[in-house]
Amino acid sequence: MFRPLLENQGCSSSDKQASYNPTISRSASWSSSRGEGSASGDSETETEQQSSMHTSISEILREKSLKPSRRSLPCLAQSQTHPINLNHFLSVPLSPDPKPEVDDLSQSISTSCSLLPPQSAEDVKDGYMEETETSADEPKEDPTFLLQKPVSRAKLGTRADSVQGKKQSDSSGLFFRDGKKRIDYILVYKKSSPQVEKRCTFEKNLRAEGLMLEKEPSLTNNDIMFVKVHATWDTLCKYAEQMNIRMPFRKKCYFTDWRSKTLGSRFHLRCQQMKSWLPRNPMKLDKEALPDLEETDCYTAPFSRARMHHFTINNRETFFSNSTRSRIVHHVLQRTKYEDGKSKMGINRLLGNNTYEAAFPPHEGSYKSRHPIKTHGAQNHRHLLYERWARWGMWYKYQPLDLIRRYFGEKIGLYFAWLGWYTGMLIPAALVGVFVFLYGFFTMDSSQVSKEICEANTTIMCPMCEETCKPWTLSDSCIFAKVTRLFDNGGTVFFAIFMAIWATVFLEFWKRRRAELTYDWDLIDWEEEEEELRPQFEAKYSRVERVNPISGKPEPFQPFSDKLSRLMVSVSGIFFMISLVLTAVFAVVVFRLIAMEKFASFNWDFVQKNWQFATSGTGVCINFMIIMSLNVVYEKVAYLLTNLEHPRTESEWENSFALKMFLFQFVNLNSSTFYIAFFLGRFAGRPGNYNKLFNRWRLEECHPSGCLIDLCLQMGVIMFFKQIWNNFMELGYPLLQNWWSRRKMKKGGGGGQNVENKTQLPQWDKDWNLQPVNAHGLVDEYLEMVLQFGFTTIFVAAFPLAPLLALLNNIIEIRLDAYKFVTQWRRPMPARATDIGIWHGILEGIGVLAVITNAFVIAITSDYIPRFVYAFKYGPCVDKGPHHADECLRGYMNSSLSVFDMWELKNNSQVRYCRYRDYRAPPWSLVPYEFTLQFWHVLAARLAFIIVFEHLVFGIKSFIAYLIPDMPKDLCDCMRREKYLMQEMMYEAELEHLQTERKKNGRRYHHEWP
């Protein structure tokens, strides 16, 4: 998942995309030096300037051996957009398959558009007949735009064989019926839909924009019609220039081996030799496993039709990758009108009013093959992703992030990059947590506190309830005390500090990793284009308009008073839902109080002796069921409140919805945990003067060995069962729904053909029967991981195994999400993004909260501070020098228990004195039952620890964040050098093109800028 950005020679492995705005740095000086004399003078000037130009460039680019570095986009003569054995297949026109009966198709199309007013024959032909590709649609390729590279006849023969073998299976699902035009997008509508006029107008306007359409009826449902969309070369070039899509530059890329000269070539060769001796990293994917990601070398620049000769156009069919083609078509679909009016445009509105049922880019064929990938290669990128990423057998391998980005887009690629980075960073945290747990396990029997509790056969404890409960001996809770030792030991403080620092290191190094990926994926200079307004926003505020300061066009405007009032209503709804969560927690507390009395007086001795485990266990299970039930309600409420605010754009809607979902689920998930950590047993009172809820139920108190075991049990049960539930819902629900869809297809439930074998269906029918992509995008995926991050860091002092559980879950989560995206969901629209959005700020907030909560957990919840005060102030080691920790805690249990006279209750008890956990004076003292001096010493030590711990950890976090820059220095140097070299190559390439053109025209030429 983490791949070093810079390797041995300068910018070798990461010089992939130039982050610059290509300008010509020397055009002015070149124009000022143009000759103005005779022809001979021009020739002499030409020779001198040409030689001087090559001299300056040679000083920059001249090397003994020039090696291409690894690039992430295609740029050499053999295109790397598709797997090697598919390059020819995806670019060579295929012979058309047998077409379905045109009469039925024409009849269905004419029926769907029968509600339209009559039009001329030319309009009908243009509007509803399928286009066929002609030479006029696709202009002939200019040989000057293509790189020429001879291909051996053997390779051509092999590729031709592969074409013939795969033609029948792939051509029917990925191309138009002529077998030449690739399907870039799929629109789905119902013939019974009344929105015929809007649909036909929309499709006619799409054709006017340069898109080609072809309709196909569904084989599984007679009411479903598919519209296949293909973007021509001219349309792709036009919108690629408008969208500033960066494409591979034509000029071969060289880099100066300046680092090798600095460090010395011998040292470099020795390092390479030592690397070759080391065993291969088993987590890395072999180059043979990913033939699509071979080493190439190419800078990129924003596409321009005027300078098309600069770009590496080996084949027009593969120059724009499939994801880029789909993104361009989606851009056109979003901006095409279906009615007259400023807001009557876009596929989103047509999906909202049920004109179309769905719109999605098609998958690149099947993800399975009859032949093994090792011998026959990958059929397509989807097959390659499944075999090298989504299979469970690849759980220990790094993710092919470049391939994920190329197939699903940068936004999803960044999610999996972040998830992989988070999973990798959990490894050291999990190891340290396991060591802390093992330390507690091996010292469990030798602990002085556990020994005293297990040997306290004569220590009588006060009854846990006032009616049916009886006094009990302290030794009855021996097992409870030993289990507490697993999590409440000397390593707890160290682990809490470690996890606070770990959270900072994780976020800071993720910033560096994100910078490398954005440079790697050409996102440094990318700025999100002005988003279109949401249809709901335009419909609500269409009467009030204001000029957009960016576009300069009038657009609907939401007044500040209206925005403020809606925001206040939304905030009120948030607080109401949080109060509902607190009410649910209060109900769980009442249940624990009732269960405590019932289990403490239970007839079964086993339950009566372990009543605390029984109370905590049943309370946690009921709390988990309430949490999962309320999550369903919270999602609907968050959706309602976000729509009530009427956000202006989709990104604003997504950020607002994500924040509400996080607040709701975070409070829902952690409210009961906060109660156990900071309130359980703090206000119980004392025997004879217990605080009661509703004057009926006595408040719950902690075990003599502390409350940390209750907190640990709460976290362990919720974290374990919640992860199992989430994984089951993520995989089980799509599998069940897809199984039901296949079952309906076999029975012909949609009125279509009875399809026994799914492989007979074309790709658009297969994709239609998959589950649609989550309407909330990646919100649910990020939310699950961010809540897990909170569980892993906020109360990690009470549960050191939390990072281990998170690591095991994430290993499954990566492959589960990969399997879901590749096999169970329709292909999402490839979207671009430069970071993980609002989630980074939420993670930083969780990191700050984790420091505070861990300080309070150690100081208040655990017994670390009381033991520390006893050892250095009241224990046997006072004024005796350093001793073993267990020796200094001798007598601690007796010191932490107070005495109560049961005869004061007049309940005819045979036992007069009983013990309870507190620091109070005995009944025979002058001030009975008042707090002792030891209580105030412990309280002061707790407050001091909180202050010192927070300042120390926050200081370390800030210092580490200051030491770690957000962008590696080598990356900055490579970016600046790449920009400089790119300007030189642009200058030289433009000059060569000018000379070629003038020689072709037979005219004398000058050294001037075109």
Side-chain angles (χ1 to χ4, degrees):
M1 285 160 282
F2 176 80
R3 177 173 51 85
L5 177 68
L6 299 173
E7 295 182 356
N8 49 5
Q9 296 182 357
C11 310
S12 58
S13 67
S14 288
D15 285 343
K16 296 184 180 177
Q17 285 87 12
S19 56
Y20 83 107
N21 185 10
T23 57
I24 307 305
S25 61
R26 299 178 59 178
S27 59
S29 62
W30 185 261
S31 300
S32 63
S33 63
R34 287 184 298 175
E36 298 178 357
S38 61
S40 60
D42 291 341
S43 178
E44 294 174 1
T45 307
E46 169 194 318
T47 305
E48 293 174 1
Q49 292 179 348
Q50 187 173 3
S51 62
S52 64
M53 178 193 68
H54 288 298
T55 300
S56 62
I57 298 228
S58 63
E59 293 175 357
I60 304 167
L61 305 177
R62 185 176 64 242
E63 292 298 328
K64 294 180 181 180
S65 61
L66 301 175
K67 299 179 181 179
S69 62
R70 187 181 184 276
R71 310 295 300 170
S72 64
L73 285 178
C75 65
L76 295 183
Q78 178 60 44
S79 173
Q80 300 298 325
T81 306
H82 302 278
I84 283 181
N85 62 338
L86 289 184
N87 287 333
H88 188 69
F89 162 62
L90 295 176
S91 60
V92 174
L94 301 177
S95 59
D97 290 338
K99 298 183 180 180
E101 296 181 3
V102 182
D103 296 337
D104 297 338
L105 182 62
S106 302
Q107 182 179 1
S108 64
I109 297 173
S110 61
T111 303
S112 65
C113 298
S114 60
L115 299 178
L116 289 177
Q119 298 178 353
S120 63
E122 183 179 356
D123 292 338
V124 173
K125 181 178 179 179
D126 179 72
Y128 315 120
M129 296 289 290
E130 280 76 34
E131 297 89 345
T132 57
E133 185 179 28
T134 61
S135 59
D137 294 328
E138 295 286 346
K140 295 181 178 181
E141 296 179 351
D142 189 347
T144 61
F145 292 169
L146 305 180
L147 289 180
Q148 303 297 330
K149 181 177 179 180
V151 182
S152 64
R153 294 181 179 271
K155 290 185 178 180
L156 287 176
T158 304
R159 291 174 183 172
D161 295 338
S162 65
V163 169
Q164 297 297 329
K166 298 175 183 177
K167 175 177 63 176
Q168 183 66 25
S169 60
D170 287 338
S171 177
S172 61
L174 300 177
F175 295 89
F176 278 25
R177 286 195 295 271
D178 61 1
K180 297 179 181 179
K181 291 185 282 293
R182 170 170 287 276
I183 301 174
D184 299 319
Y185 225 86
I186 298 291
L187 305 179
V188 186
Y189 69 87
K190 289 184 177 180
K191 301 176 188 177
S192 58
S193 173
Q195 308 286 351
V196 181
E197 184 176 357
K198 293 180 181 178
R199 184 178 64 250
C200 293
T201 304
F202 182 71
E203 292 173 3
K204 184 175 181 180
N205 291 335
L206 288 179
R207 293 186 177 95
E209 290 291 337
L211 300 182
M212 305 182 73
L213 309 181
E214 186 178 72
K215 296 186 179 181
E216 287 280 357
S218 174
L219 298 180
T220 59
N221 193 329
N222 288 334
D223 193 33
I224 295 297
M225 182 69 74
F226 297 101
V227 181
K228 299 177 286 186
V229 183
H230 167 77
T232 62
W233 170 255
D234 290 337
T235 305
L236 292 172
C237 293
K238 172 185 174 183
Y239 284 100
E241 184 174 9
Q242 291 184 9
M243 298 169 65
N244 287 325
I245 296 179
R246 303 181 71 91
M247 299 305 295
F249 198 65
R250 177 175 181 250
K251 188 68 176 179
K252 288 186 177 180
C253 179
Y254 301 99
F255 56 87
T256 305
D257 196 7
W258 56 276
R259 291 193 68 181
S260 294
K261 290 181 178 179
T262 305
L263 300 178
S265 57
R266 292 184 180 178
F267 176 75
H268 170 68
L269 291 175
R270 288 183 179 180
C271 290
Q272 291 293 330
Q273 188 177 10
M274 292 179 62
K275 277 186 177 181
S276 63
W277 295 342
L278 297 176
R280 186 178 61 85
N281 188 348
M283 292 188 293
K284 286 186 177 180
L285 290 169
D286 299 333
K287 292 182 180 179
E288 295 78 8
L290 291 175
D292 185 46
L293 302 178
E294 285 189 339
E295 291 190 353
T296 58
D297 184 27
C298 189
Y299 293 129
T300 60
F303 185 79
S304 172
R305 287 178 290 177
R307 296 177 178 175
M308 195 180 294
H309 51 277
H310 291 172
F311 296 92
T312 307
I313 307 177
N314 308 310
N315 189 308
R316 289 185 175 182
E317 297 298 326
T318 59
F319 177 64
F320 294 102
S321 65
N322 293 335
S323 59
T324 303
R325 295 173 67 101
S326 299
R327 190 154 56 94
I328 292 175
V329 173
H330 181 77
H331 178 86
V332 178
L333 294 175
Q334 292 281 54
R335 287 156 179 79
T336 301
K337 288 191 173 184
Y338 58 87
E339 280 184 357
D340 292 334
K342 285 182 288 186
S343 62
K344 305 296 185 180
M345 67 170 63
I347 188 63
N348 288 343
R349 294 174 178 84
L350 293 176
L351 291 172
N353 59 26
N354 295 325
T355 301
Y356 288 99
E357 298 297 317
F360 51 88
H363 277 296
E364 298 179 5
S366 176
Y367 65 90
K368 287 188 177 181
S369 175
R370 298 178 180 177
H371 308 289
I373 191 174
K374 291 184 178 180
T375 57
H376 291 73
Q379 287 186 336
N380 49 65
H381 279 164
R382 190 186 184 195
H383 182 212
L384 188 61
L385 281 171
Y386 175 76
E387 291 291 338
R388 302 307 183 193
W389 179 49
R391 284 196 308 110
W392 298 105
M394 308 300 291
W395 65 270
Y396 63 96
K397 294 286 188 180
Y398 289 155
Q399 299 182 91
L401 294 179
D402 287 338
L403 190 59
I404 298 170
R405 168 250 182 170
R406 203 175 301 176
Y407 192 82
F408 292 110
E410 286 81 0
K411 191 172 185 179
I412 295 178
L414 275 175
Y415 163 71
F416 281 104
W418 176 83
L419 181 58
W421 184 260
Y422 172 44
T423 304
M425 290 292 292
L426 279 174
I427 294 177
L431 290 177
V432 177
V434 170
F435 288 150
V436 172
F437 177 80
L438 292 178
Y439 171 76
F441 177 78
F442 288 116
T443 59
M444 182 172 56
D445 295 329
S446 62
S447 171
Q448 181 64 30
V449 177
S450 300
K451 286 181 180 179
E452 292 184 0
I453 293 177
C454 294
E455 296 172 358
N457 298 321
T458 59
T459 303
I460 306 300
M461 303 297 295
C462 296
M464 299 304 300
C465 58
E466 298 182 352
E467 295 181 359
T468 58
C469 299
K470 299 179 181 179
W472 53 285
T473 58
L474 182 59
S475 59
D476 292 341
S477 61
C478 176
I479 298 178
F480 201 89
K482 290 184 177 181
V483 174
T484 303
R485 175 66 180 180
L486 293 174
F487 306 100
D488 189 4
N489 52 66
T492 302
V493 179
F494 163 75
F495 189 56
I497 297 176
F498 172 82
M499 287 302 297
I501 298 174
W502 173 88
T504 302
V505 172
F506 161 65
L507 292 176
E508 292 301 321
F509 275 98
W510 164 247
K511 293 178 184 178
R512 294 168 63 90
R513 177 61 174 155
R514 185 195 67 84
E516 295 171 355
L517 288 174
T518 52
Y519 173 76
D520 231 13
W521 294 349
D522 267 343
L523 298 173
I524 294 291
D525 287 341
W526 178 80
E527 295 181 2
E528 190 169 358
E529 60 186 17
E530 183 67 14
E531 290 187 87
E532 64 174 9
L533 303 179
R534 299 182 70 243
Q536 297 85 344
F537 181 85
E538 289 187 338
K540 180 68 177 177
Y541 302 104
S542 58
R543 296 182 179 180
V544 183
E545 289 188 347
R546 189 184 68 171
V547 177
N548 189 312
I550 298 176
S551 63
K553 299 178 181 179
E555 66 178 17
F557 172 70
Q558 182 181 15
F560 177 76
S561 58
D562 182 82
K563 185 176 183 178
L564 181 62
S565 61
R566 292 180 179 276
L567 185 62
M568 294 299 296
V569 173
S570 179
V571 171
S572 301
I574 293 174
F575 279 106
F576 173 77
M577 296 306 298
I578 291 177
S579 64
L580 182 62
V581 175
L582 299 180
T583 304
V585 173
F586 180 76
V588 174
V589 171
V590 174
F591 169 80
R592 290 173 64 103
L593 298 181
I594 298 174
M596 179 184 66
E597 290 189 0
K598 299 299 181 182
F599 288 134
S601 59
F602 208 73
N603 293 329
W604 190 7
D605 291 339
F606 177 79
V607 177
Q608 188 175 4
K609 289 183 178 180
N610 300 278
W611 59 269
Q612 289 175 316
F613 275 119
T615 302
S616 300
T618 54
V620 169
C621 293
I622 292 178
N623 186 35
F624 174 75
M625 291 187 290
I626 293 176
I627 288 173
M628 302 310 296
S629 301
L630 289 178
N631 280 345
V632 179
V633 180
Y634 294 151
E635 183 175 355
K636 298 182 182 297
V637 173
Y639 191 83
L640 178 65
L641 293 178
T642 307
N643 286 334
L644 180 65
E645 295 177 6
H646 285 296
R648 180 174 171 272
T649 61
E650 288 295 334
S651 62
E652 292 179 7
W653 188 96
E654 184 175 336
N655 288 338
S656 178
F657 178 76
L659 184 60
K660 290 180 180 61
M661 285 294 294
F662 170 75
L663 289 176
F664 288 158
Q665 294 207 18
F666 180 81
V667 175
N668 186 32
L669 196 64
N670 293 282
S671 54
S672 58
T673 310
F674 271 91
Y675 163 75
I676 293 175
F678 304 127
F679 297 99
L680 179 63
R682 310 298 168 199
F683 310 101
R686 63 172 180 84
N689 189 22
Y690 280 116
N691 297 321
K692 296 183 179 181
L693 185 64
F694 304 133
N695 293 323
R696 171 65 180 85
W697 296 291
R698 203 177 87 185
L699 295 182
E700 192 176 0
E701 55 184 317
C702 293
H703 184 267
S705 59
C707 291
L708 200 66
I709 187 61
D710 296 276
L711 179 61
C712 175
L713 184 64
Q714 174 84 7
M715 290 186 59
V717 170
I718 291 181
M719 190 173 185
F720 178 75
F721 283 107
K722 188 175 186 299
Q723 289 178 350
I724 292 179
W725 176 262
N726 288 338
N727 291 335
F728 172 76
M729 290 301 296
E730 283 189 17
L731 183 61
Y733 182 74
L735 283 175
L736 289 175
Q737 291 228 339
N738 290 335
W739 170 81
W740 184 255
S741 298
R742 291 193 299 269
R743 186 172 179 270
K744 287 171 59 178
M745 284 191 300
K746 290 181 179 180
K747 291 186 176 182
Q753 304 176 12
N754 189 353
V755 182
E756 294 293 338
N757 191 358
K758 189 179 178 182
T759 58
Q760 299 175 359
L761 292 175
Q763 189 60 44
W764 51 81
D765 245 326
K766 295 178 183 178
D767 291 351
W768 166 246
N769 288 294
L770 294 177
Q771 292 302 304
V773 179
N774 194 334
H776 306 148
L778 294 172
V779 171
D780 291 342
E781 311 297 332
Y782 276 115
L783 180 62
E784 179 185 353
M785 290 296 102
V786 169
L787 291 175
Q788 183 205 84
F789 178 81
F791 245 74
T792 306
T793 55
I794 292 180
F795 292 104
V796 72
F799 190 50
L801 293 180
L804 178 63
L805 290 181
L807 174 62
L808 297 177
N809 174 78
N810 287 6
I811 292 175
I812 300 174
E813 182 74 21
I814 291 176
R815 307 303 160 181
L816 187 65
D817 286 346
Y819 183 83
K820 179 174 59 178
F821 272 97
V822 173
T823 67
Q824 300 301 312
W825 281 3
R826 297 172 192 161
R827 186 177 183 180
M829 201 285 295
R832 308 200 84 186
T834 56
D835 52 26
I836 61 176
I838 194 175
W839 300 107
H840 189 274
I842 293 176
L843 290 173
E844 289 184 337
I846 291 177
V848 174
L849 181 62
V851 177
I852 300 174
T853 53
N854 281 306
F856 276 88
V857 166
I858 296 173
I860 296 177
T861 309
S862 75
D863 270 7
Y864 176 79
I865 298 299
R867 292 197 300 263
F868 182 84
V869 172
Y870 177 82
F872 289 93
K873 183 66 177 177
Y874 300 95
C877 298
V878 178
D879 299 330
K880 291 184 179 181
H883 285 75
H884 193 271
D886 289 336
E887 295 181 3
C888 296
L889 290 176
R890 190 175 302 151
Y892 166 75
M893 205 66 247
N894 183 65
S895 173
S896 63
L897 297 178
S898 301
V899 180
F900 176 70
D901 188 358
M902 294 185 63
W903 287 2
E904 295 180 6
L905 300 178
K906 300 179 181 181
N907 56 1
N908 299 323
S909 175
Q910 297 180 359
V911 179
R912 179 173 184 179
Y913 295 108
C914 66
R915 310 295 296 271
Y916 63 97
R917 180 182 171 85
D918 208 343
Y919 296 101
R920 293 181 182 269
W924 54 80
S925 65
L926 298 178
V927 282
Y929 306 122
E930 291 294 327
F931 289 117
T932 62
L933 184 62
Q934 187 176 357
F935 169 82
W936 299 108
H937 285 166
V938 171
L939 179 61
R942 283 174 168 169
L943 296 177
F945 176 83
I946 292 173
I947 296 174
V948 172
F949 182 88
E950 288 183 354
H951 284 72
L952 175 65
V953 176
F954 278 130
I956 296 175
K957 284 168 64 73
S958 302
F959 181 69
I960 291 176
Y962 172 77
L963 289 180
I964 303 175
D966 293 346
M967 185 176 293
K969 184 178 182 302
D970 289 344
L971 179 60
C972 296
D973 294 340
C974 277
M975 289 169 55
R976 290 200 305 243
R977 179 162 183 79
E978 186 172 301
K979 180 178 179 180
Y980 171 72
L981 292 179
M982 194 63 183
Q983 290 175 348
E984 294 290 340
M985 287 184 288
M986 286 278 290
Y987 173 76
E988 184 178 357
E990 196 67 38
L991 179 62
E992 291 176 357
H993 175 66
L994 174 63
Q995 294 173 351
T996 303
E997 288 294 323
R998 296 202 172 184
K999 285 182 178 179
K1000 185 186 301 183
N1001 297 334
R1003 299 188 310 175
R1004 300 186 64 86
Y1005 57 91
H1006 300 276
H1007 295 290
E1008 61 182 352
W1009 194 253

